[in-house]
Amino acid sequence: MASIALAAAGPALAQDAAAPAAPAAPAAGASSFSEAEIKQFAAAAVEVTKIQQDASIAAADKQPKMLAALQASGIPPEKFNQIGQAAAADPALQQKIQAAAPASAAPAAPAAPAQ
């Protein structure tokens, strides 16, 4: 379940943060990214997923918060998008990302109670 959330976070942000005229790059494999980049992606993806799922954050505020999470993790949005897109097509990369995800990445409970 965590691997799906992590892999899904990349393309979701890619739609919002990618440059409008960005050419479609071929999907890169797991070997195209360093361990440091994968760790940065995993940490950022966890934060981005939390923001996306947080019902207490207004929709208009989610994009700036997601970009701030990327900046805090040290991964450029373009690299985050590349890794996310590659992970969507590469099970080996998905496994590397899942292994690199912080231990606290498992969702425990919703951030805000349903009303």
Side-chain angles (χ1 to χ4, degrees):
M1 186 77 147
S3 64
I4 295 170
L6 293 175
L13 188 61
Q15 294 171 355
D16 296 331
S31 61
S32 299
F33 304 107
S34 71
E35 289 298 316
E37 289 171 331
I38 290 172
K39 286 180 182 179
Q40 286 177 314
F41 175 86
V46 168
E47 293 305 312
V48 165
T49 300
K50 286 180 189 176
I51 293 165
Q52 288 174 329
Q53 295 175 347
D54 190 340
S56 69
I57 300 173
D61 294 335
K62 288 185 179 188
Q63 182 67 23
K65 287 185 180 290
M66 289 187 289
L67 289 174
L70 292 184
Q71 289 175 335
S73 73
I75 189 168
E78 298 80 15
K79 182 62 71 175
F80 181 87
N81 292 337
Q82 288 173 354
I83 296 171
Q85 289 168 351
D90 186 346
L93 181 56
Q94 289 175 16
Q95 289 177 347
K96 280 186 157 190
I97 291 167
Q98 188 173 9
S104 63
Q115 297 180 352

